[in-house]
Each structure stands twice: as C-alpha cells, then as structure tokens.
Amino acid sequence: MNIKPLPLAAVAAASVLATMAIADAIWNATATGQPGPWADPESHEPLTRALSLAHSAVYAVFASALITTGRGIDRGRPLVRVLRWILVGGYAMFTISFLWLGGVDPRHQPENLLAGVVNVAFLVTLVVPVVLGFALIRRRELRAAVLLLIAPAVLLPVTVVLGAIGPWGHPAYVETAVGFGVALLCVGASAAADVPASSAATAHRARARLVAKGS
C-alpha cells in the first residue's frame, strides 16, 4: 500500500482543525460572555493572525489532497467528480479568506465581503460532503470516510438542540467530522489507487502459470 504524502498531511490538518474547533466550543460554553483570545484582534492580534494562517493552511491541504487523489475518489463517475470539485472550491474560498485575515491587519478588514465569502464556503463544505458521502456509500474501502462525511446529517440537528437548551451548540462537531471524513477519503482513495494495478499483476502471473503448465 503506497499512500501519498498529501492524504497523510490531510489527516494531520484535520487533527489541527479539530483541536482549534473543539477548544473554541469549550471556551464558548464555559467562559460566559467572554470571547476567546483568538477572536479578539484588538488585544491579541498576533494570536489572531497565527490562527487565521493555520486555518488557511488546513484548508489548503484539504483542497490539495482532494485534487491529487481525485482519480481514486471519482473512479470515472461524473457526479462524484463534480461534487469533489465543488468541495475543492469551498476549501479554496476558505484558504483565501483566512490567508487574507492572517496577512492583513485584522482590525481593518472588509468585514461584509469576508463574511459573505466565509458563509458561502461554510455552506459548501457543510452540504456537499453529505451529498458526496451518499454518492460514495457503496465503496466499501471508503466506508469510514463516508460515515464521517454524512455525519452532519445527524450532528447538525443535535448541534441545534444543544444550542437551544444550553451553551454547547457549536459548529465544531460538524467541522471535526467533515475534516476527518475528507482526510480519510483522500487516504482511502490513495490506497485504493494501487489495488487495480496489483490485481492486474496478480491476474497476469496466474495466466502465465496456466500457460506454462499447458505447454
């Protein structure tokens, strides 16, 4: 099994994203009325910039991994290819937005424009993975990734309920599931890419042995 570096980097990126998201969820639930220091550019500008750049790097890795493992994900299916490229576009929007936030003074941002781009990217990276997961549901080698990709269909209502009854409603749960789903999808597709070649080689050797016995 030969897994490319980018899918493995995607797993690391998903871990980083999960750490940041869950930390934000815990802070918001326990520190009533006080934003996290990473959300306060007036007082913690270096931290805000650093975390924006970290987010940008995470989403760039996701987009790159989806591109490099595209053939193994698509397997010639046009619908899957279209969904994958839409998802790449969503992560590209996130990458550019957070790169801008990290590179430009966070206190002087075109807030309306950036908020619009981020909202569109969030919607794309929330809905499209679910549809992609159902489109790949028959791929046994991608089963773990598929379950995580379609998890928002359950996690989103749970998140809404948690937000209605207490302070624990947060998109971190959905982000974490989707992040690891995308990462494992790329890992599985990268590993599966070697299967046809090895199977063909095995079949060729078997035919060669049969020919040798017949002669």
Side-chain angles (χ1 to χ4, degrees):
M1 183 183 297
N2 182 24
I3 301 175
K4 297 177 182 178
L6 266 175
L8 296 178
V11 175
S15 302
V16 172
L17 180 63
T19 300
M20 294 188 292
I22 297 299
D24 191 57
I26 294 173
W27 180 282
N28 288 341
T30 56
T32 306
Q34 294 184 350
W38 48 83
D40 184 10
E42 294 290 340
S43 303
H44 301 89
E45 181 182 340
L47 178 60
T48 302
R49 286 178 179 268
L51 288 182
S52 293
L53 294 175
H55 276 89
S56 180
V58 164
Y59 294 125
V61 170
F62 284 165
S64 301
L66 284 168
I67 292 172
T68 58
T69 59
R71 183 174 297 179
I73 296 172
D74 300 343
R75 288 288 179 91
R77 297 181 61 189
L79 174 61
V80 174
R81 182 182 300 110
V82 169
L83 292 171
R84 178 175 60 84
W85 277 108
I86 293 174
L87 189 55
V88 168
Y91 284 131
M93 286 190 286
F94 265 146
T95 299
I96 295 170
S97 298
F98 281 105
L99 184 61
W100 179 274
L101 286 169
V104 178
D105 190 338
R107 295 166 295 185
H108 304 288
Q109 301 283 356
E111 294 183 2
N112 292 336
L113 176 60
L114 283 174
V117 173
V118 169
N119 287 337
V120 171
F122 181 76
L123 183 62
V124 168
T125 56
L126 171 66
V127 176
V128 174
V130 176
V131 182
L132 180 60
F134 280 111
L136 296 170
I137 202 164
R138 294 186 179 181
R139 295 273 299 274
R140 293 184 178 181
E141 74 277 16
L142 303 177
R143 188 61 54 84
V146 165
L147 290 176
L148 288 169
L149 290 174
I150 65 178
V154 175
L155 290 176
L156 188 58
V158 170
T159 300
V160 172
V161 171
L162 288 176
I165 64 176
W168 289 96
H170 196 282
Y173 319 123
V174 172
E175 289 177 319
T176 298
V178 170
F180 280 110
V182 168
L184 293 181
L185 174 64
C186 295
V187 169
S190 178
D194 291 337
V195 172
S198 60
S199 298
T202 301
H204 178 74
R205 287 193 294 269
R207 286 195 298 270
R209 284 195 296 268
L210 289 173
V211 170
K213 289 181 180 178
S215 60

